[in-house]
Amino acid sequence: MAFDAIETPFGKVDKIVGGSATYVGYAASNFVTPIQQVSIVGYDFPKEEMDEMKKRGMQLEGVEIVPDKKSFFWSGKYHLDMNTRDTLITDLNVLADFNPVIPDSYQGAEFLMLGNLSPNIQSSVIEQLKVRPKLIVMDTMNFWMDIALDDLKKVLKKIDVLLVNDSEARQLSEEISLVKAARKILAMGPKFLIIKKGEHGALLFHENHVFCAPALPLEEVFDPTGAGDTFAGGFIGHLAKTKDISFENMKTAIIVGSAMASFCVEKFGPERLKEITKKDIDARLQEFVSLAEFELDLV
Amino acid sequence: MAFDAIETPFGKVDKIVGGSATYVGYAASNFVTPIQQVSIVGYDFPKEEMDEMKKRGMQLEGVEIVPDKKSFFWSGKYHLDMNTRDTLITDLNVLADFNPVIPDSYQGAEFLMLGNLSPNIQSSVIEQLKVRPKLIVMDTMNFWMDIALDDLKKVLKKIDVLLVNDSEARQLSEEISLVKAARKILAMGPKFLIIKKGEHGALLFHENHVFCAPALPLEEVFDPTGAGDTFAGGFIGHLAKTKDISFENMKTAIIVGSAMASFCVEKFGPERLKEITKKDIDARLQEFVSLAEFELDLV
């Protein structure tokens, strides 16, 4: 839970609420509650945002509030094609000392989403849970592959689903072909691998199966910040709601995640996620069905 | 109908049969015959290849054989990622004087596939047909947008389906968003637009509808040469077989085209296309169904 400053070809905001846990929480709470947040913020994180989160079924007992420090702050600028961005500022602030403590009330959680953070912190959260969750989903990024690859590989052995983008999958596996990359990554520990390809959708790999999820072609991507976390929130939210972690249901969960991400990019930060209703979500899901369905008679 | 020399990270061939019409013909003849080829070759084009084509239901009356010149020759080298290539040699040879004459026996053709060539030659073929075909599909490339944009725009008014890749769609429309690009291109004439995205599949646009076709994630792409033409051949082959040019059936046709293209890249040139059976095609189509299908209950 943090602050971002974002500049896109369509406008800029100087300070807006962001952070993985924020996006995951806003997305997932459409499908299941309670969402038990684990995070750290400073004295500057708005009480109104926390109230809004609670109203939506997020529990914040696991969110440490540091009274004399500021929240994490990231500032970035997107290029014209919106696929690449430059990081302008990264102020770790409270995140420099983040050492999450899982509250007793969170014990027994069945679905765990580990946002992108240092592998050691991700690992510490898993270790603190007395009963292993039914499903552990983990996000990471190239930064941790560069500076903490060994630690990252240790966490990979403890999780069920890994989320990365295509270039990260190639970096982690040292393979160009995504099929070969997936095979190598699945051998590192996770039973499921999701490769996010931005405007080209996502691939889900499991054993010898693969599912290709489309991305909705959008007229305008206003701000891509948080789209990956929102995808993760929709994905695990659907799984937690249905309590079904089969490959078949993960395919559906990826469509749900994609639909949530398609809302996220329509406005700055998590704004749009706070506006949408179940009816909006249903209509968007229906668009995904139309987008991908076809009939086939064999030759 | 031509010759190619191809170098990929997996090997090289000095001279192999190629050319748009060759790939389109080998792909489409799995679905419908006769295929009436219009092309030009030199004295060096192998008689055995022509015999093979005839055996598969391709008629070659519209293929001019120039006795004192060589066939078109292209030589290229693919980069490691196989998505980009350098052209090493382009010897126009017979193609420099290509002025196709449609044989009387071809009159009445219901489905016309215009391979990538100068817009004026594409236009001349349309003009020579006394009865307008039920469906005209056209391929083109950035080269013609660079040097013959006005001519290209004139042909666009006469056709039904345009095939381009994503960067060509952006160049033709001067739009970054593919949704906006599609709207502009559809306003230029074609009723349907297919945007090919290589390993990311393809998009079909028609009025306000869009269909997103997946590409089969492949372990190895051995040689991408001809994949686009093979896609086109499978696409129009399915439409000609079913004689149904609705949006719904075009979605299926794109899957058929994608399946054929996925075979094409498995070996050099059109080699693999000559080996496969209807059973192979059916099995590959079934893979596309598994790849893309998901179930969804609304929220």
Side-chain angles (χ1 to χ4, degrees):
Chain A
M1 289 161 55
F3 288 114
D4 294 327
I6 302 161
E7 188 175 341
T8 78
F10 302 106
K12 62 186 286 186
V13 280
D14 287 335
K15 200 174 179 186
I16 193 166
V17 164
S20 291
T22 301
Y23 288 102
V24 170
Y26 276 122
S29 59
N30 285 286
F31 307 97
V32 71
T33 55
I35 310 287
Q36 300 173 314
Q37 298 284 53
V38 178
S39 188
I40 188 166
V41 297
Y43 62 84
D44 53 352
F45 199 83
K47 188 179 169 306
E48 309 80 63
E49 193 75 33
M50 300 238 204
D51 289 342
E52 179 68 27
M53 289 177 171
K54 285 180 194 159
K55 220 179 73 190
R56 289 167 185 263
M58 293 182 234
Q59 297 178 355
L60 304 181
E61 201 187 337
V63 178
E64 186 182 347
I65 303 175
V66 183
D68 59 348
K69 286 193 179 167
K70 287 188 164 186
S71 302
F72 175 86
F73 175 76
W74 175 84
S75 164
K77 182 178 174 173
Y78 288 88
H79 299 175
L80 242 186
D81 72 357
M82 297 292 246
N83 288 323
T84 48
R85 67 186 184 191
D86 294 324
T87 288
L88 305 175
I89 304 170
T90 305
D91 287 337
L92 285 180
N93 299 328
V94 294
L95 211 57
D97 313 309
F98 187 33
N99 189 9
V101 178
I102 304 299
D104 284 344
S105 62
Y106 286 16
Q107 292 294 342
E110 287 188 295
F111 291 82
L112 174 61
M113 173 69 222
L114 297 166
N116 167 42
L117 211 53
S118 107
N120 284 337
I121 291 178
Q122 293 177 318
S123 194
S124 145
V125 170
I126 298 174
E127 296 307 316
Q128 289 179 58
L129 293 174
K130 291 169 191 158
V131 181
R132 191 198 188 272
K134 186 175 169 130
L135 191 80
I136 303 178
V137 181
M138 171 185 165
D139 189 18
T140 189
M141 70 183 293
N142 52 352
F143 180 71
W144 307 113
M145 297 172 195
D146 291 337
I147 70 158
L149 185 59
D150 288 344
D151 293 336
L152 176 62
K153 286 190 173 173
K154 279 180 205 153
V155 195
L156 288 181
K157 293 190 195 308
K158 303 177 186 172
I159 63 153
D160 301 300
V161 183
L162 177 67
L163 287 170
V164 284
N165 68 30
D166 41 1
S167 72
E168 290 158 352
R170 290 186 167 115
Q171 179 174 349
L172 183 58
S173 64
E174 299 180 319
E175 290 284 353
I176 291 174
S177 152
L178 292 181
V179 176
K180 288 185 180 176
R183 191 175 305 137
K184 273 200 183 176
I185 293 170
L186 290 177
M188 295 177 188
K191 287 184 267 308
F192 298 87
L193 170 68
I194 296 173
I195 299 181
K196 298 174 287 181
K197 302 192 298 172
E199 63 164 334
H200 302 302
L203 297 171
L204 168 67
F205 292 91
H206 172 59
E207 294 170 352
N208 290 318
H209 308 295
V210 56
F211 169 62
C212 177
L216 203 63
L218 297 171
E219 185 135 351
E220 246 162 38
V221 170
F222 189 80
D223 171 21
T225 310
D229 295 316
T230 303
F231 173 91
F235 174 76
I236 199 164
H238 172 78
L239 295 177
K241 173 191 170 194
T242 53
K243 294 184 183 250
D244 170 358
I245 57 171
S246 66
F247 178 70
E248 284 308 311
N249 197 44
M250 285 213 191
K251 299 199 292 189
T252 307
I254 284 181
I255 298 296
V256 173
S258 304
M260 297 310 292
S262 76
F263 284 118
C264 176
V265 303
E266 291 177 348
K267 290 197 173 178
F268 273 124
E271 272 177 51
R272 185 74 179 119
L273 294 181
K274 296 186 207 173
E275 296 172 354
I276 53 171
T277 62
K278 281 200 171 18
K279 203 176 151 193
D280 294 324
I281 298 173
D282 275 346
R284 190 61 58 93
L285 287 173
Q286 204 51 61
E287 283 189 64
F288 273 83
V289 173
S290 314
L291 183 66
E293 76 183 348
F294 60 87
E295 293 199 358
L296 197 69
D297 295 321
L298 296 184
V299 182
Chain B
M1 289 161 55
F3 287 114
D4 293 329
I6 302 162
E7 189 175 340
T8 79
F10 303 105
K12 62 185 287 186
V13 279
D14 287 335
K15 200 175 180 186
I16 193 167
V17 164
S20 292
T22 301
Y23 287 103
V24 171
Y26 276 121
S29 59
N30 285 286
F31 306 97
V32 69
T33 54
I35 309 287
Q36 300 173 314
Q37 299 283 53
V38 178
S39 188
I40 188 168
V41 296
Y43 62 82
D44 53 352
F45 199 82
K47 188 179 171 304
E48 309 79 63
E49 193 75 32
M50 299 237 200
D51 290 342
E52 180 67 27
M53 289 178 171
K54 285 181 195 160
K55 219 178 75 189
R56 287 166 187 266
M58 293 182 235
Q59 296 178 356
L60 304 182
E61 200 186 336
V63 178
E64 186 183 346
I65 303 174
V66 183
D68 59 347
K69 285 192 178 167
K70 286 187 166 188
S71 302
F72 175 84
F73 175 75
W74 175 84
S75 165
K77 182 178 173 173
Y78 288 87
H79 299 172
L80 241 186
D81 72 356
M82 296 294 245
N83 288 322
T84 47
R85 66 186 185 190
D86 295 323
T87 288
L88 305 176
I89 304 170
T90 305
D91 288 337
L92 284 181
N93 299 328
V94 293
L95 212 57
D97 312 309
F98 188 31
N99 189 10
V101 178
I102 305 299
D104 283 344
S105 63
Y106 286 16
Q107 290 295 342
E110 286 188 296
F111 291 83
L112 174 62
M113 173 69 222
L114 297 165
N116 168 42
L117 212 53
S118 106
N120 284 338
I121 291 179
Q122 294 177 318
S123 195
S124 144
V125 169
I126 298 174
E127 295 308 315
Q128 290 179 57
L129 293 174
K130 291 168 192 160
V131 181
R132 191 198 188 275
K134 186 175 171 131
L135 191 80
I136 303 178
V137 182
M138 170 185 165
D139 189 18
T140 188
M141 71 183 292
N142 52 353
F143 180 72
W144 307 112
M145 298 173 194
D146 292 337
I147 69 158
L149 185 59
D150 288 345
D151 293 335
L152 176 61
K153 286 190 172 172
K154 278 181 207 155
V155 194
L156 287 181
K157 291 192 197 307
K158 303 178 187 172
I159 63 154
D160 301 299
V161 184
L162 177 67
L163 289 171
V164 283
N165 69 30
D166 42 1
S167 72
E168 290 158 352
R170 290 186 166 115
Q171 179 174 348
L172 183 58
S173 64
E174 299 179 319
E175 290 284 353
I176 292 175
S177 153
L178 292 180
V179 176
K180 289 185 180 175
R183 191 175 305 136
K184 273 201 183 174
I185 293 171
L186 290 177
M188 294 177 187
K191 287 183 268 310
F192 298 88
L193 170 68
I194 296 173
I195 299 181
K196 298 174 287 179
K197 303 193 297 172
E199 62 165 335
H200 302 301
L203 297 171
L204 167 67
F205 291 92
H206 171 61
E207 294 170 353
N208 290 318
H209 308 296
V210 56
F211 169 62
C212 176
L216 203 63
L218 297 171
E219 185 135 353
E220 247 161 38
V221 171
F222 190 80
D223 171 22
T225 310
D229 295 315
T230 304
F231 173 91
F235 174 76
I236 200 164
H238 172 79
L239 294 176
K241 174 191 169 193
T242 54
K243 293 183 182 252
D244 171 358
I245 58 172
S246 66
F247 178 70
E248 284 307 311
N249 197 43
M250 287 213 190
K251 299 200 289 190
T252 307
I254 284 181
I255 299 296
V256 173
S258 304
M260 297 310 292
S262 76
F263 284 118
C264 175
V265 304
E266 291 177 348
K267 290 198 173 178
F268 273 124
E271 273 178 49
R272 185 74 179 118
L273 293 180
K274 296 187 208 172
E275 296 172 354
I276 53 171
T277 62
K278 281 200 169 21
K279 203 176 151 194
D280 294 324
I281 298 172
D282 276 346
R284 189 62 58 92
L285 288 172
Q286 203 52 60
E287 282 189 65
F288 273 83
V289 172
S290 315
L291 182 67
E293 76 182 348
F294 60 88
E295 294 200 358
L296 197 69
D297 295 321
L298 296 184
V299 180

